[in-house]
Structure formats: structure tokens, C-alpha cells
Amino acid sequence: MNYGNQMKKIITVVGARPQFIKAAVVSRILQNDPDMHEILVHTGQHYDANMSQIFFNELNLPTPHYHLGIGSHQHGKQTGDMLAAIEVLLLKEKPDCVLIYGDTNSTLAGALAAAKLHIPVAHVEAGLRTFDRKMPEEVNRIIADQLSTWLFTPTEQAIINLNQEGYADSRIIPVGDVMYDAALFYIEKAVQTSHILQQLNYQPKEYILATIHRAENTNDPNALKTLFQTLDQLARTKPVVMPLHPRTKQILNNHDPSLLTNSLIQIIEPVGFLDMIMLEKHAALIMTDSGGIQKEAFFYQVPCITLRNQPTEWIETVALGWNKIVSPSDADGVLTAAMNALNSRGIENQFPFGRGNAGNLIVDFLKKGMIDAHLDH
Ligand code: UD1
Ligand code: UDP
């Protein structure tokens, strides 16, 4: 390992769409720091051009040094294949730290591979909980936190969660939310370069933006059908545009393709982050099961309905009145909540996601943390 005044080597493991956005924030800072050398590893969990490459192009993420090409599988095989492949390159590269983001299978594999080799793990977005272990993300984040040396928390609630689980304060580093950094950094580029509203022929605040992809909403085709029928009904009142995740598209194609072709919902391919920012910012309402999109709705002060049977890990958005959790199987509840939310605003004088400098705080800490870890040995 490199210690003392030598350059520090960080291996960043990413694989899924939201991780490319989060990593872009920190990578930019690492690239400009002469003391840090980042090696980017893409597990290949997401691989369609509009789920992966578009983010590297738009957000200036460097081409991954390693692309593991793991692809789509059941959880065990997907995570296991990643684990074995990451282990090989960790043994070769001998990094000072492995940097992981969020709560996907790529996060879990990165944490486990590094911890087994006694390499410090830094977890960005640590401490989030829904307290529902049926969600794959909850399992991944609990284990990733357990295995991490440093826990970069985005919110006060994340710190409370970790404290309740007995984590030592010395491992918890409050930095704020890297997604807020991303929202601040890319808004200007989005305004300058995105033409998505013109392309779709929408006026600001005259459409609803919807996304659905979580396992809880897609695994049961009948429940998914009910949700699509509800959104189709809503689209009679206000246009609904839905950039469709490939998971959801595949399930609809297999079980009820007419929901794709005969729907009033305007279903489009997944879009890049810059187009997504514009779609979010100008939406009258956002309806989603995404973790990241709930928060982006908050950042752009757009009312949000989170379509989940589980609580959200971002409870601040609910507490401050911008987000409402509604069961997707409750058609009447969804329609009523949508109508109410279209006319509502939340509390505007509180901002619980940091100062938009999470990336800088993370890199500053990593430099210091790695020196301290060395001195402790
Ligand atoms: C994963 C994360 C989820 C996160 C989401 C972000 C896990 C367990 N889940 O869910 O927490 O919210 O990413 O988008 O890690 N597929 C394609 N092309 C792609 C990628 C996926 O067609 O480029 C299809 C495949 O049919 C695949 C399915 O989507 O089986 C699910 O992909 P997967 O990466 O396993 O999970 P996500 O639902 O994307
Ligand atoms: N996103 C995007 N294009 C899309 C859908 C989402 O750029 O078509 C962005 C979105 O703005 C957010 C992130 O992807 O920053 C959220 O990813 P996703 O909803 O896939 O995962 P989650 O946050 O639920 O893990």
C-alpha cells in the first residue's frame, strides 16, 4: 500500500445508473487532486447505452480502468461474480481504499471484496434505512455499512440510524448528500444543452413525470398492471411522461405488452441525467419509486408521490411536506394523492441535505483518514 506522502490509490466500484451520477461528483475532485489516484471499476450491472455510457459521456466520468461485464443475473450469481472479479483486481492493484456508493449489488460486492482483503472501505450514502429487509437495497446497505471503515452520511437521520445500531462516532463522517452536489453542478449544463421539453412538446408544469423500477413494484406483474392502469387513468387529466427502466419494460413486455402500446402514458426510453434534470425541474408533479428521484423532486421543489408500500430512506422529504408515500396498489389513494399534490407545496425554509460540498468533504477526509489509518498501525 502507498502511505506517508505518497500518492493514495483509491478504487471506486460502480455499476448502476445512480452510482455513475454520484461517482461523477467525487471523481471530478479526485482527478484534480495530485495526491490521489482513482481507479474506476464498472461492474457492468447496468450496460445499456442509456443506462450506462450516456452518463460517462455527459458527466465527464473517466472511462473505467476495469469493466467487469457482469450483466444481469439473480442476486446471488450477480453479486458473487462481481465479488470474485473485484477480488482479482484488488489483489493486483493493492489500493489504499475502496470507495462504494449507495445500496446496489455492486455496492455490496465492492464492500465484501475489500473487507475480506483488509482494505479500508469508504461508503458514500451510509446510514440510510427503510427498516424493511425485504428490499434488496436495505440488505445491501446494512452489510455495506457493517463492512465499511468510514461511513459518509448524507443526512442527520442517517447519523441517528447508525448511532442506534451502535456505530462508533469516529467512523461516521457527516458530509451531506453527493446528489445535491450533482444537482447544483449539472443544472447549468442541463439548462444549456437539454432540449427534452421541446422534443416532447411539453410546457413547464403541464405534465407529470413518473418512474417505476423497484423490485417491490415490478416483481408482481398484476400489481404492476394495476399501477400502470392507475397512471393511465391519471394521464386523462394531466399528461404523464415515463422514462421506462429496462427492468419494468421487460416485465411488461413479457406479461402485458398492451400496457406499453395502448397506454395514454407517454413511455419513453431512459434519458440521460441532463434531460432528467430538466424533466424533473419543470414537472408539475413527480411520481416515483426511485430513491434518487424523490430527493431531486425536493431539490427542485416539485411535489412528489413515492409509490411504495415501504417507508422511504429519505424521510426528510416527507417531514418537510414535499413527498407523500402512497401504496401503489391503492388506485383511489394514488389518484387522490396526485390531485392533492398538484396543488400543494412543502415547507421551504429547511434543507437537510448538506451544503452541496459533500464531494470535497469526502476527498478531504479520505486523504486525512488514510494517513491516520496508517499511523494507527
Ligand atoms: C438496481 C439496484 C437498485 C437501483 C437500480 C437503479 C440492486 C439489487 N438493485 O436495480 O437498488 O435502484 O439499480 O436503476 O442492485 N436491465 C437491462 N439493461 C441494463 C440494466 C438492467 O435490460 O442496462 C434489465 C435486466 O432485465 C435486468 C433488470 O433490468 O435483469 C434488473 O437490473 P438490475 O441491475 O439487476 O437491477 P435494477 O432493477 O436495475
Ligand atoms: N435518472 C436518469 N434518467 C432516467 C431515470 C433516472 O438520469 O431515465 C437519474 C435520476 O435523475 C437520479 C438517478 O438516475 O439521479 C436515480 O436512479 P434510479 O431511479 O435508477 O435509482 P435509485 O435512485 O432508485 O437507486
Side-chain angles (χ1 to χ4, degrees):
M1 292 193 191
N2 294 323
Y3 285 128
N5 293 325
Q6 286 174 303
M7 186 183 273
K8 301 288 181 285
K9 192 192 267 191
I10 309 250
I11 288 204
T12 297
V13 178
V14 292
R17 171 167 69 185
Q19 293 168 328
F20 308 137
I21 299 164
K22 293 165 197 174
V25 169
V26 180
S27 275
R28 191 180 57 252
I29 300 163
L30 287 172
Q31 280 168 52
N32 289 324
D33 191 320
D35 295 334
M36 305 297 258
H37 172 50
E38 182 186 40
I39 296 179
L40 193 61
V41 177
H42 187 328
T43 63
Q45 179 170 350
H46 286 175
Y47 44 84
D48 291 349
N50 57 18
M51 294 293 288
S52 175
Q53 189 58 46
I54 192 170
F55 297 94
F56 287 78
N57 299 345
E58 283 189 346
L59 312 183
N60 296 330
L61 255 180
T63 303
H65 296 77
Y66 294 92
H67 196 300
L68 307 180
I70 303 297
S72 304
H73 303 283
Q74 288 293 320
H75 287 260
K77 177 167 170 53
Q78 187 181 55
T79 313
D81 286 358
M82 288 177 194
L83 179 63
I86 295 169
E87 183 178 63
V88 170
L89 65 92
L90 292 184
L91 286 167
K92 181 175 157 213
E93 292 288 350
K94 299 183 175 30
D96 295 291
C97 168
V98 169
L99 184 57
I100 53 168
Y101 292 88
D103 50 24
T104 72
N105 287 348
S106 298
T107 316
L108 174 62
L112 196 47
K116 290 269 185 176
L117 294 172
H118 307 168
I119 299 167
V121 179
H123 186 200
V124 176
E125 261 190 18
L128 298 177
R129 299 288 184 267
T130 59
F131 303 98
D132 181 350
R133 291 195 182 195
K134 290 211 182 79
M135 297 175 82
E137 294 81 12
E138 184 78 352
V139 174
N140 290 344
R141 53 172 88 101
I142 288 170
I143 298 175
D145 282 346
Q146 281 287 337
L147 297 177
S148 292
T149 316
W150 300 301
L151 300 153
F152 293 114
T153 49
T155 56
E156 280 293 317
Q157 185 61 46
I159 301 171
I160 293 168
N161 294 340
L162 290 173
N163 283 336
Q164 279 172 351
E165 291 174 26
Y167 283 85
D169 281 339
S170 57
R171 285 169 69 192
I172 302 173
I173 306 108
V175 291
D177 186 1
V178 285
M179 293 296 286
Y180 181 47
D181 292 29
L184 291 177
F185 189 80
Y186 291 109
I187 180 78
E188 208 176 299
K189 190 171 178 190
V191 169
Q192 278 164 9
T193 60
S194 169
H195 302 292
I196 189 80
L197 259 68
Q198 296 91 314
Q199 282 160 8
L200 297 173
N201 204 13
Y202 284 130
Q203 296 300 319
K205 303 298 167 193
E206 291 196 349
Y207 63 91
I208 295 168
L209 174 67
T211 77
I212 302 293
H213 76 281
R214 288 299 182 102
E216 303 76 38
N217 282 336
T218 55
N219 280 352
D220 175 354
N222 289 328
L224 185 61
K225 182 175 179 176
T226 303
L227 178 53
F228 264 70
Q229 286 170 337
T230 308
L231 295 177
D232 184 53
Q233 206 176 325
L234 185 62
R236 286 160 217 237
T237 313
K238 195 140 189 125
V240 176
V241 60
M242 179 186 283
L244 193 60
H245 192 289
R247 173 195 193 97
T248 318
K249 184 178 186 176
Q250 194 189 55
I251 292 166
L252 289 172
N253 262 331
N254 289 345
H255 290 93
D256 209 337
S258 69
L259 287 172
L260 289 171
T261 48
N262 296 342
S263 171
L264 279 183
I265 306 167
Q266 182 167 14
I267 292 170
I268 60 173
E269 288 294 309
V271 295
F273 188 51
L274 302 177
D275 280 345
M276 194 62 182
I277 287 176
M278 296 311 280
L279 283 174
E280 290 172 338
K281 187 173 157 52
H282 293 298
L285 169 66
I286 294 178
M287 302 177 76
T288 189
D289 56 6
S290 160
I293 295 170
Q294 288 170 57
K295 260 178 315 154
E296 286 163 353
F298 181 88
F299 299 156
Y300 302 122
Q301 306 217 311
V302 176
C304 181
I305 290 177
T306 295
L307 297 161
R308 287 191 190 177
N309 286 310
Q310 305 78 15
T312 174
E313 60 278 28
W314 302 106
I315 59 164
E316 304 78 6
T317 58
V318 177
L320 295 174
W322 288 99
N323 190 8
K324 191 169 165 52
I325 314 288
V326 182
S327 168
S329 56
D330 176 6
D332 289 342
V334 171
L335 293 172
T336 307
M339 286 314 174
N340 291 340
L342 278 168
N343 301 311
S344 79
R345 291 188 72 74
I347 299 166
E348 290 182 26
N349 60 359
Q350 285 184 49
F351 196 85
F353 296 105
R355 298 183 173 182
N357 62 348
N360 282 307
L361 294 175
I362 289 166
V363 174
D364 284 351
F365 181 89
L366 284 179
K367 288 165 78 167
K368 182 179 173 307
M370 281 187 287
I371 293 166
D372 289 351
H374 171 56
L375 296 176
D376 287 349
H377 273 77

